[in-house]
Amino acid sequence: MAYALVALGFVLALNAAGAVNFAHGDLVVLGGAIAVVAGQSTGLAAPLLLPLVALALGCAGIVAARVAILPLAARPPEATFVATIALAAIIEHGLTVTLGAAPRTAPALVGSGSFDIAGVALGRQPLAIVVVGGVLVAGVWFLLERTQVGRRMRAVSSDRHMARAVGIPVGRYIMLSLALAGALAGIAGLLLGHQFLVAPTQGAGHMLKAYIAVALGGWGSVPGALLGALGIGFFETFVSAGFGDAWASVALYVGVLVVLAFRPQGLFGEPAGRRA
Amino acid sequence: MSRIFLDVGDFVVNAGEVVALLGGNGAGKTSLLEGILGFRPTARTVKLFGQDVSSLAVEQRVALGVGYVPEGRRVFAGLTVRENLEACSTASAVERRRRVEQMLALFPMLGERPDARAWLLSGGQQQMLALARALMNEPRLLLLDEPTLGLAPVIVADLLEHLARLAGDGMAILLAEQRAGLALGAAGRAVVLSRGRVVRMAPARELAADPALADLMAAG
Amino acid sequence: MRPLGALWLAALLALPFFALAVLPPFGQRMVTLVGIYALMGLGYQLVFGQLGALNLAQGALFGVGAYAAALAAPALGVLALPVAILAASLPAALAAGPVLRLQSHYFALATLALASIVNLIAVHAEGLTGGANGISGFASVLPRGPVLLAMVWTCLIATVLIYVHLFRGRLGDEARLLREAPLVAATLGIDGGRWRLAAFVAGGALAGLAGAFSAAISGVVSPDVTGFPVMVLCLTSVVVGGSRHPMGAVVGALLAVCLPEILRDFQDAWLLVYAVATLAIVRWAPGGIAELIDRLRGARSPAPNNPTVPQLMPAVSGAQRLVLDNVVKRFGGVDALAGVSFAVGRGEIVGLIGPNGSGKTTLLNVIGGLDRADSGAITLDDAHLECLPPHAIARKGLGRTFQTLMLEGDTRSADLARAVATGAIFLLLDEPAAGATDRERGQLASLLHRLRDAGRGIVIVDHDIELLTRVCDRLVCLDRGRVIAIGRPAEVRADPQVRASFLGLAEVAA
């Protein structure tokens, strides 16, 4: 579920800014790190940290795009790739310098323990992650599909030029999308940070999974990204149960290469008629 | 209030009239429309509703009461018909819904499938959606760029009828067209553009009868 | 690309000699490292700098080279170096086919996945790679110290010189075209697929060699050499140094090796500094530091090599007639071309006219192979063109220019000159006079006449009907994918159906 949040943020930023953000994974780590530090210094419980982290990373998402994506809009996509990779390295090494390289634990969302449901033991923590993730995904879906703000965000990512021509203040909606993308990354960082700890070097891994989810689910498609993320989650869980984590990842990457070799447009293709 | 809704220096468009903007491919029709909207700099002084708009951004010019139907329609592909219309509205929720229903009633072609995604619509339906979208905020000036391109004759006739009715209600309409025959039938006056400059200005009926028009149009 | 300046050459040659003569072993080791990173970076420039494709597998190929050298050294000694080159270029060649067809964002993803696989294997295939502990104890048979330094720098200097030599001439122009205007490249007969494959494999080979050297210098190979940080280091150093400048990789490597020494007291801070520098360079000096130095020294940045049309037009030999027979092209349900037939002979100029959307550009695209005809035949004498790729059609003697200039700083005449320079017998010109002044139109007309007199056949699309009337032997008028008139310019212009089509009255007339 946390993957879904990462992928959702990734695709929102992709649609709003029109570019891959290689630093998205490091925004996730940054979210986790802020949760660690804020948790230690304020002693606040995780549910209270959640909005704090979301707010901080919302701002970080905007700053990231302002620094490394939006100024390069007129250049070939590779310029943005390099700029965001550099940004990712800045976040990673910035965290290493300030916090050290050792992994740390983010505060738990709820107390430990488990429920017994029909004889299956469910940890309270994983359950809480699924619930929080589910609520957020549903919330974002509601925002995009059912509100005027969401419609306008989608109109802006569909055709920025035309959106201006019907009087939508495009700049404001792009910033909003980027802030939302950052906030989702931050929350994902907090959720992942308890189970898998927080270490500065994790960013690339998070980013790669979101990238794969979006590429497989259909470039730029929000439901596709969610499906892709859930698919990756299930795939890893089941394959790693049989063969171990590492080989599950190898199988996943080989799968990606095979898909790209046979379907250069991604598994479900680009969304039809971006510019009808 | 003056009845001159658009003034670009070498010609004007008044309330209640359709002006055809003619010229071959590359004559500068799209550049002129984009200059009026503020998408690109133009050497002309553009006045909308009597106001010099050179310092205004695109959104601000549109907010003065300008509707725009771009070349190639450019509907928001992933949004439904209803969402396309709603996204353009600046009005309150209640008023917004009223306008959408009004548009769906005005364009039966859209009223039939309000919840279809825009990229699934036919070319004619997309063109009507682009027009309806431009009308959502009740503009006083409408700019259209090659709206008949690729449409069946029946739908072209339907579209031009809509324009005539809108002009009858007092709207000022600038219709950029390459197919002069069609545009002259719908317009009161016409302006012929060549390499960005106005080379001819005349009542539509007079121009339609002019044998030199074919050469003017073909010259680009 | 300009020849390497004397200063650069002196710096390149002086550094290893200075190191060997003056520096203590520690300093020599650093200079050797600079050479190793520079070799990897130079290989990376081939794909990233010259072709503009973001390859994220270069670090992994470096690692493959290191492992190959470590595994082969005990048995083969110094011969482990060529083995490492092979080991790295082989996966590059295998992956190249499917990967190189991808669009930019999928290309980056695919190479990243490839790199991750290599890294996971390095960590987990313990039988082969020794797992997280890596491999050691092989270095005694490999060159070390001053000998290694000399080897590394000999390879580096040779590679830089070859690189400069290759990219100064035609290859540099080809790379620029492939990078900035792939369609133009294809219509000039440049086989982009083969080009990219060669660049990818050569880049991999250099990475493998660099990896092998790095195994020799460190004496240990661990999974770290295949990791993403190596890739990021390679990418950032090439960007900081200059992604196309022949000395870019060397400058970048020099900084990457020296910065950590300067900032030694701040642990990882040097990487932070380096990342910030990369970002700044991408935004404000995309040419990199090497180019910045050139500019400060007053050297002009290399102006794009714009060809000009020769005054004396050499005659060409080859096919006599280009024939279109019932060519059909559909887009969706629309017939963009609904059975077009006509022929062009050598020494003839044929003008294509018709209203917007009548299929003129589509027709040129279909003839040139950029779009495939759905049916019908296009023949050049006896050779069928309709199933050949664009670069093969270009090599048969068909040249093409484009409606809008696809290259920055390019001119209309350069586009035309390139098409002429391929020795094309038949030229397809798409709106060569768009936006031209009256004087330029006059020059164009006389150029077209000279081309015709030198035995070329020309098909020209333009909206300037006066120009076409002046220069063309025949006009063909298209309307909604059909030929509605064909003949001498005055006849076609007087045709009532043609006049109606320009007024958009075609439906009425038809």
Side-chain angles (χ1 to χ4, degrees):
Chain A
M1 211 62 211
Y3 284 161
L5 292 184
V6 181
L8 190 58
F10 185 80
V11 77
L12 282 178
L14 171 73
N15 286 345
V20 172
N21 183 1
F22 275 90
H24 193 74
D26 289 271
L27 290 180
V28 175
V29 177
L30 189 61
I34 289 179
V36 171
V37 173
Q40 278 170 355
S41 58
T42 64
L44 283 175
L48 294 175
L49 284 175
L50 215 58
L52 193 70
V53 170
L55 188 70
L57 265 291
C59 298
I62 293 178
V63 172
R66 277 267 161 104
V67 169
I69 299 179
L70 298 178
L72 299 169
R75 301 250 213 103
E78 281 74 16
T80 336
F81 292 173
V82 175
T84 54
I85 288 177
L87 186 65
I90 292 173
I91 297 176
E92 177 184 334
H93 298 300
L95 285 176
T96 312
V97 170
T98 50
L99 298 180
R104 302 186 177 208
T105 313
L109 210 52
V110 290
S112 57
S114 59
F115 298 108
D116 266 359
I117 298 173
V120 183
L122 288 174
R124 284 176 67 170
Q125 182 67 19
L127 199 66
I129 289 178
V130 169
V131 170
V132 171
V135 167
L136 280 171
V137 168
V140 171
W141 176 85
F142 183 82
L143 174 75
L144 287 178
E145 293 287 329
R146 288 287 179 271
T147 67
Q148 176 72 350
V149 171
R151 272 191 289 275
R152 293 192 144 199
M153 280 166 73
R154 284 159 59 213
V156 168
S157 41
S158 161
D159 187 337
R160 203 183 290 186
H161 184 83
M162 200 50 226
R164 285 188 76 192
V166 297
I168 299 175
V170 166
R172 222 183 297 159
Y173 281 92
I174 290 179
M175 289 305 145
L176 187 62
S177 299
L178 292 169
L180 189 59
L184 289 172
I187 294 173
L190 173 62
L191 297 184
L192 286 167
H194 181 69
Q195 211 172 353
F196 302 104
L197 309 180
V198 181
T201 52
Q202 288 167 339
H206 293 319
M207 194 281 301
L208 183 56
K209 294 213 172 98
Y211 203 154
I212 292 175
V214 172
L216 295 186
W219 200 247
S221 148
V222 174
L226 290 177
L227 273 180
L230 292 179
I232 291 175
F234 278 116
F235 183 87
E236 284 201 325
T237 314
F238 286 110
V239 179
S240 63
F243 302 91
D245 279 343
W247 298 116
S249 296
V250 171
L252 178 64
Y253 300 145
V254 171
V256 170
L257 285 177
V258 170
V259 167
L260 286 178
F262 289 101
R263 291 218 31 126
Q265 308 81 28
L267 203 54
F268 300 110
E270 313 256 332
R274 295 212 119 207
R275 241 207 73 187
Chain B
M1 157 129 208
S2 162
R3 304 212 6 108
I4 299 177
F5 280 3
L6 171 67
D7 180 353
V8 293
D10 34 16
F11 69 91
V12 300
V13 183
N14 297 305
E17 71 167 344
V18 179
V19 173
L21 180 63
L22 306 178
N25 199 8
K29 303 187 296 292
T30 300
S31 305
L32 177 56
L33 293 189
E34 293 191 341
I36 293 171
L37 280 163
F39 277 117
R40 59 168 83 194
T42 167
R44 289 180 163 87
T45 308
V46 177
K47 286 187 185 166
L48 292 170
F49 315 107
Q51 180 187 350
D52 183 344
V53 293
S54 51
S55 61
L56 297 188
V58 177
E59 298 93 311
Q60 292 167 312
R61 297 186 194 200
V62 170
L64 291 176
V66 183
Y68 175 49
V69 180
E71 189 179 3
R73 323 190 229 288
R74 297 179 74 163
V75 293
F76 301 123
L79 277 63
T80 66
V81 168
R82 200 184 284 277
E83 288 173 336
N84 258 279
L85 296 175
E86 283 190 69
C88 302
S89 175
T90 50
S92 68
V94 179
E95 170 66 9
R96 192 163 69 220
R97 249 164 251 141
R98 191 187 67 78
R99 290 290 297 165
V100 170
E101 293 310 323
Q102 203 179 339
M103 286 302 149
L104 293 178
L106 187 61
F107 299 94
M109 222 186 252
L110 302 177
E112 285 165 18
R113 14 185 355 195
D115 296 314
R117 303 261 160 196
W119 61 275
L120 289 168
L121 299 178
S122 73
Q125 289 168 327
Q126 286 190 2
Q127 189 63 64
M128 292 302 169
L129 178 55
L131 178 59
R133 186 176 62 178
L135 297 177
M136 272 302 283
N137 290 319
E138 306 187 305
R140 289 178 289 160
L141 169 69
L142 187 61
L143 309 173
L144 301 103
D145 196 353
E146 304 268 0
T148 69
L149 202 65
L151 298 187
V154 196
I155 299 179
V156 170
D158 189 14
L159 182 80
L160 296 179
E161 220 167 88
H162 274 297
L163 297 185
R165 194 167 44 225
L166 290 167
D169 293 344
M171 195 179 286
I173 298 178
L174 182 60
L175 170 64
E177 261 298 335
Q178 185 166 201
R179 298 157 87 183
L182 291 171
L184 289 175
R189 291 190 301 129
V191 175
V192 183
L193 222 52
S194 177
R195 293 195 214 163
R197 282 196 296 272
V198 173
V199 292
R200 190 74 200 277
M201 201 156 32
R205 203 168 301 166
E206 182 184 314
L207 205 56
D210 188 342
L213 181 60
D215 286 327
L216 276 178
M217 293 292 293
Chain C
M1 190 182 288
R2 279 170 302 108
L4 202 57
L7 184 90
W8 284 125
L9 198 62
L12 186 62
L13 292 172
L15 197 60
F17 283 108
F18 172 76
L20 284 173
V22 180
L23 289 180
F26 174 71
Q28 290 188 0
R29 187 186 152 85
M30 276 176 60
V31 173
T32 312
L33 267 178
V34 171
I36 291 173
Y37 288 144
L39 268 178
M40 169 162 65
L42 209 54
Y44 194 58
Q45 284 191 328
L46 287 174
V47 180
F48 175 69
Q50 294 298 340
L51 289 174
L54 184 67
N55 169 12
L56 292 176
Q58 186 79 350
L61 295 175
F62 176 84
V64 169
Y67 271 103
L71 290 170
L76 297 173
V78 186
L79 285 179
L81 293 179
V83 170
I85 295 179
L86 269 181
S89 41
L90 202 67
L94 285 179
V99 165
L100 286 172
R101 284 184 298 143
L102 300 171
Q103 282 182 321
S104 61
H105 49 260
Y106 289 135
F107 180 77
L109 174 61
T111 50
L112 191 55
L114 204 64
S116 305
I117 293 173
V118 170
N119 183 240
L120 284 166
I121 291 177
V123 177
H124 295 281
E126 288 173 7
L128 182 66
T129 63
N133 295 326
I135 307 173
S136 56
F138 55 86
S140 54
V141 296
L142 291 175
R144 296 157 76 181
V147 184
L148 183 62
L149 188 149
M151 271 182 81
V152 169
W153 277 81
T154 309
C155 290
L156 177 65
I157 291 169
T159 320
V160 169
L161 292 180
I162 293 172
Y163 181 90
V164 172
H165 179 74
L166 283 179
F167 283 92
R168 261 180 71 187
R170 230 191 61 206
L171 213 56
D173 292 337
E174 286 191 12
R176 173 166 166 266
L177 282 170
L178 276 172
R179 185 170 67 236
E180 295 175 13
L183 285 183
V184 176
T187 54
L188 290 174
I190 299 169
D191 184 346
R194 241 182 57 199
W195 217 108
R196 277 185 280 266
L197 175 67
F200 200 56
V201 172
L206 283 175
L209 180 62
F213 282 139
S214 89
I217 197 173
S218 64
V220 192
V221 176
S222 75
D224 286 350
V225 294
T226 64
F228 197 58
V230 175
M231 181 64 243
V232 173
L233 185 63
C234 173
L235 174 66
T236 48
S237 72
V238 166
V239 171
V240 170
S243 61
R244 281 196 282 281
H245 195 287
M247 289 296 284
V250 183
V251 172
L254 196 63
L255 284 173
V257 173
C258 295
L259 259 186
E261 290 307 315
I262 297 169
L263 298 175
R264 202 198 316 224
D265 298 335
F266 304 92
Q267 308 165 28
D268 262 1
W270 78 275
L271 282 165
L272 189 61
V273 172
Y274 214 56
V276 172
T278 308
L279 192 56
I281 296 259
V282 172
R283 277 190 66 168
W284 292 293
I289 289 182
E291 210 176 285
L292 216 55
I293 294 176
D294 272 353
R295 223 184 303 161
L296 289 181
R297 282 171 53 223
R300 280 177 301 113
S301 70
N305 207 342
N306 270 345
T308 48
V309 185
Q311 273 302 312
L312 262 179
M313 209 63 72
V316 284
S317 60
Q320 294 297 321
R321 253 172 103 71
L322 173 68
V323 180
L324 279 72
D325 185 17
N326 206 13
V327 174
V328 174
K329 174 73 196 171
R330 288 183 201 94
F331 288 116
V334 185
D335 282 6
L337 299 174
V340 172
S341 307
F342 66 90
V344 189
R346 295 181 53 168
E348 186 183 30
I349 302 178
V350 172
L352 266 184
I353 58 172
N356 203 8
S358 57
K360 303 181 298 280
T361 296
T362 306
L363 186 59
L364 294 194
N365 284 346
V366 166
I367 299 174
L370 296 177
D371 280 326
R372 283 263 158 273
D374 290 310
S375 68
I378 304 165
T379 49
L380 204 56
D381 283 359
D382 297 327
H384 277 262
L385 303 182
E386 60 269 12
C387 17
L388 295 178
H391 65 88
I393 292 178
R395 285 180 191 174
K396 293 238 176 233
L398 232 77
R400 162 87 199 256
T401 70
F402 286 86
Q403 206 165 23
T404 43
L405 297 167
M406 297 186 175
L407 286 165
E408 218 174 302
D410 209 17
T411 62
R412 219 183 330 273
S413 65
D415 195 21
L416 190 53
R418 269 194 301 269
V420 173
T422 60
I425 308 161
F426 286 92
L427 292 166
L428 313 172
L429 312 179
D430 198 356
E431 299 199 14
T437 63
D438 288 336
R439 204 172 134 252
E440 288 168 331
R441 281 163 205 259
Q443 290 169 343
L444 179 69
S446 83
L447 170 64
L448 293 177
H449 281 137
R450 274 189 287 142
L451 283 166
R452 174 178 62 187
D453 297 342
R456 267 106 173 154
I458 298 172
V459 180
I460 174 171
V461 170
D462 207 86
H463 285 282
D464 186 344
I465 195 128
E466 301 302 334
L467 176 78
L468 293 188
T469 308
R470 253 197 339 270
V471 303
C472 293
D473 301 294
R474 287 189 298 149
L475 289 184
V476 174
C477 182
L478 289 182
D479 188 16
R480 285 165 299 155
R482 271 170 234 282
V483 176
I484 58 167
I486 187 162
R488 287 195 291 117
E491 288 166 18
V492 170
R493 284 187 67 183
D495 186 304
Q497 222 182 325
V498 172
R499 297 181 77 79
S501 85
F502 273 111
L503 293 180
L505 293 170
E507 288 105 307
V508 187

